[in-house]
Amino acid sequence: MKSQITAILLLLFLPVISCIDDDKCDCCGKDSEEMKSVSFKGVIFSAISVKSSKTIPAGIRAVILAYESGDNPVIKSCYPATPLTVISDQNGNLVIENESPLFMPVGNYDFYAISINSGNQEKFEFDAGKIKGLMNGTDYLWATKKEIVINNSTNVTFDFIHKAVAIELDFIAGNGIDYLYITNVQTAMSADGGELMLSSGEITP
């Protein structure tokens, strides 16, 4: 009688063991053994002309997020190993801080990066694809690289753009005006607490 019970128990456990092996081979539709290293670099486009750029200076911190290609950050979660805090070296490489090197499964990804263009540690508030709590007087940099194919060790170069820039006003006397003297100019400062859309870099009050 004991031998019969043992045989039944073994038969019941076999399907469970088989399912665990299947999950190990295919994680979220990707081969869990096909992991490739991903590194980053940065350049900054001039605030005056988008046609000129320079390697990002050393000591600038940024935060990088990754999504599966085509995912909308408003409704989708970022790749589990991100956000990552990085800092630029003298060659413009964005080196991951206090974390292991980034390895990702083979696939297509969209990458986003945000910075305050300084070496200060900034704790960005991410919520539904937006960065909240923006402050005046801050030089926000934003960049994205989309549809990046990861099938080998890959370096992703971000082209950072100044998203919060100063406004320069030039007053020129028109026809019929011989002498122009401006006594007062007033502008309304944007309120603190604005939001930046991660997908587009657009800032809204």
Side-chain angles (χ1 to χ4, degrees):
M1 187 67 176
K2 288 184 178 180
S3 60
Q4 183 178 359
I5 294 173
T6 302
I8 293 172
L9 288 174
L10 285 173
L11 288 172
L12 289 173
F13 277 114
L14 280 174
V16 177
I17 295 171
S18 177
C19 288
I20 293 172
D21 287 340
D22 287 343
D23 290 341
K24 185 176 180 181
C25 294
D26 185 15
C27 178
C28 300
K30 298 180 183 293
D31 187 343
S32 61
E33 296 180 358
E34 286 291 317
M35 303 291 285
K36 304 298 180 182
S37 65
V38 181
S39 56
F40 304 96
K41 193 168 185 176
V43 299
I44 301 178
F45 279 101
S46 169
I48 299 173
S49 172
V50 296
K51 295 182 179 180
S52 63
S53 63
K54 64 177 181 178
T55 299
I56 192 169
I60 301 298
R61 283 186 168 86
V63 174
I64 294 174
L65 300 96
Y67 293 81
E68 289 202 29
S69 187
D71 278 358
N72 183 351
V74 173
I75 58 176
K76 295 289 188 177
S77 298
C78 60
Y79 181 72
T82 64
L84 284 173
T85 300
V86 297
I87 186 168
S88 57
D89 66 12
Q90 61 184 0
N91 297 314
N93 298 305
L94 302 176
V95 182
I96 299 172
E97 281 197 305
N98 306 319
E99 297 284 348
S100 302
L102 179 62
F103 287 85
M104 302 179 71
V106 168
N108 294 8
Y109 297 92
D110 296 338
F111 293 91
Y112 301 92
I114 182 73
S115 171
I116 59 171
N117 199 14
S118 81
N120 296 333
Q121 287 277 11
E122 180 72 9
K123 293 184 178 179
F124 294 109
E125 179 186 350
F126 296 98
D127 182 32
K130 298 179 181 179
I131 299 170
K132 296 188 173 182
L134 303 188
M135 302 295 292
N136 271 311
T138 303
D139 184 14
Y140 289 101
L141 302 176
W142 171 88
T144 183
K145 283 289 185 177
K146 296 187 176 182
E147 298 184 0
I148 299 298
V149 179
I150 306 294
N151 53 21
N152 292 296
S153 296
T154 303
N155 182 271
V156 178
T157 298
F158 286 109
D159 303 318
F160 284 98
I161 301 172
H162 297 271
K163 299 305 294 187
V165 296
I167 298 175
E168 182 177 316
L169 301 176
D170 293 324
F171 296 92
I172 302 173
N175 294 332
I177 300 177
D178 298 325
Y179 182 75
L180 178 65
Y181 180 72
I182 299 174
T183 59
N184 185 35
V185 175
Q186 293 183 343
T187 60
M189 182 179 291
S190 298
D192 288 332
E195 298 177 342
L196 184 146
M197 288 292 296
L198 190 60
S199 60
S200 64
E202 180 183 356
I203 293 178
T204 56

